[in-house]
Amino acid sequence: MPLQGGIALYGSLVGGTLITMAVTGDTSFMAAVNDTDPASKGKSYSVEIKGSNYNHFLGKKIGDVVDGQFVGDGDQSLLGYKLQITGGSDKTGTPMRSDIAGGNRQAVLVTKGVGYKAQKLVKKKGDTYRYTYDGIRKRRYFRGNTINQDTRQLNLKVVDSGKKSLADLFGDSGGDSDES
């Protein structure tokens, strides 16, 4: 019998022991595909990965190169593209780090880098300033470098382009521009 929140518990009897698994309705990633072509000026496109394509990404690590046919559906599939996994985050927004093995959530003592800016906010004379001190460290939670069922967002960058440009596949209005 399904429980509230879209979670259902299913069990099977194996060797006299009831094994239960939680099955959720969230079997998809949101992928941010970054176009590395200089003519696109760094545009990124959001694509949902679901179904059998979702299963293809499970177990992959940051830095792995995947085929673009597994990103998108139908006409918006990135056939002919090669994409590199550069990062991601889980369902709580915890970022993935390439230097942590596995897919578990771990507390790590870090200095300035991915997931931690190492700045201290100081208020002086009614204004707020950001100071960076040497040697400042903090314990933060990070997700490992392996994609698992808790991953909800992936960052992908184009390594090899296909025949059609990303702007043609997704339309010019579909991209998020990162102009600074």
Side-chain angles (χ1 to χ4, degrees), residues 41-157:
K41 297 181 182 175
K43 276 198 166 183
S44 63
Y45 300 90
S46 293
V47 184
E48 187 172 11
I49 300 171
K50 56 186 173 184
S52 61
N53 296 342
Y54 171 84
N55 294 331
H56 178 74
F57 280 91
L58 294 177
K60 299 281 187 196
K61 294 185 177 185
I62 294 176
D64 288 351
V65 176
V66 295
D67 196 9
Q69 72 180 7
F70 300 108
V71 178
D73 290 327
D75 294 339
Q76 290 189 341
S77 177
L78 300 181
L79 198 61
Y81 278 82
K82 297 285 184 192
L83 305 168
Q84 183 180 15
I85 301 170
T86 59
S89 60
D90 68 357
K91 56 189 174 185
T92 62
T94 305
M96 295 173 70
R97 275 184 71 120
S98 60
D99 57 349
I100 300 174
N104 297 332
R105 191 169 185 249
Q106 297 178 8
V108 181
L109 189 64
V110 292
T111 58
K112 185 176 182 178
V114 174
Y116 181 55
K117 293 181 181 178
Q119 295 174 343
K120 202 159 191 154
L121 297 176
V122 178
K123 292 187 177 185
K124 279 188 177 179
K125 299 181 183 176
D127 290 332
T128 304
Y129 299 96
R130 294 178 190 260
Y131 287 105
T132 304
Y133 297 105
D134 290 336
I136 190 168
R137 296 185 296 173
K138 196 157 191 172
R139 191 163 304 279
R140 293 278 189 203
Y141 280 98
F142 294 101
R143 189 60 74 170
N145 62 1
T146 306
I147 298 169
N148 59 15
Q149 292 86 0
D150 292 330
T151 307
R152 291 292 175 261
Q153 189 261 332
L154 288 177
N155 300 328
L156 304 169
K157 83 173 180 183

Side-chain angles (χ1 to χ4, degrees), residues 16-47:
T17 307
L18 182 65
I19 298 175
T20 60
M21 301 183 314
V23 179
T24 61
D26 289 339
T27 55
S28 66
F29 301 123
M30 282 307 293
V33 180
N34 294 319
D35 196 357
T36 54
D37 183 22
S40 70
K41 297 181 182 175
K43 276 198 166 183
S44 63
Y45 300 90
S46 293
V47 184

